[in-house]
């Protein structure tokens, strides 16, 4: 077993649906960049899983495990970037993130849980499990975007 994915998984499972520690940002735009970078990296590792789930690319269980572990780990990161005052500038974040923050935090927790389950599904090596967990995770992305991200 490769040490890095294993360590990532152990950490992601340990964290469970808990939030990551707070970050310090000198300026609101640094917080925006931080969360956007986390989401961009997540997308880069989520999309090959989608290709496997849809049959656009062959099921490669080892690659799926690595991608899903990375997604499960990264799922903890962006939330710390939604600091007060970072609703301005180059962002699609809606004000509801701050005015309805308990619902936003619940969406984030649900997503971390979905991503942890995606990682477990990928580690089963079963394509059916991967498809199901990919779909559930994708629904979780969409649910949050529908309420909290501008078009
Ligand atoms: C992605 C991506 C998203 C989500 C979302 C799921 O690959 O970039 O924002 O999945 O489309 O509905």
């Amino acid at each position: 077993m490769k040490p890095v994915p294993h360590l990532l998984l152990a950490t992601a499972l340990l964290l469970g649906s808990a939030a990551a520690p707070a970050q310090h940002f000198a300026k609101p735009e640094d917080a925006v960049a931080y969360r956007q970078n986390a989401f961009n990296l997540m997308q880069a590792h989520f999309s090959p899983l989608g290709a496997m789930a849809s049959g656009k690319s062959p099921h490669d269980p080892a690659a799926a495990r690595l991608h899903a572990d990375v997604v499960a780990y990264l799922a903890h990161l962006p939330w710390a970037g939604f600091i007060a005052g970072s609703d301005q500038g180059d962002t699609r974040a809606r004000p509801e993130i701050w005015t309805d923050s308990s619902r936003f935090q619940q969406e984030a927790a649900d997503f971390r849980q979905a991503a942890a389950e995606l990682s477990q599904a990928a580690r089963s090596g079963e394509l059916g499990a991967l498809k199901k967990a990919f779909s559930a995770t994708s629904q979780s992305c969409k649910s949050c975007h529908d309420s909290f991200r501008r078009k």
Side-chain angles (χ1 to χ4, degrees), residues 43 46-47 138-139 141-142 145 149:
Q43 181 185 38
F46 192 58
S47 108
S138 183
Q139 270 307 114
C141 299
K142 184 177 184 313
H145 294 163
R149 187 177 75 169

Side-chain angles (χ1 to χ4, degrees), residues 6 22 47 49 53 61 78 83 104-105 107 111 123:
H6 185 72
S47 108
L49 293 169
I83 60 167
F104 179 67
Q105 292 305 330
E107 289 280 9
F111 175 70
R123 295 181 86 84

Side-chain angles (χ1 to χ4, degrees), residues 73-90:
Y73 190 83
L74 292 175
H76 291 270
L77 302 190
W79 322 112
F82 289 93
I83 60 167
S86 66
D87 57 336
Q88 305 293 315
D90 184 18

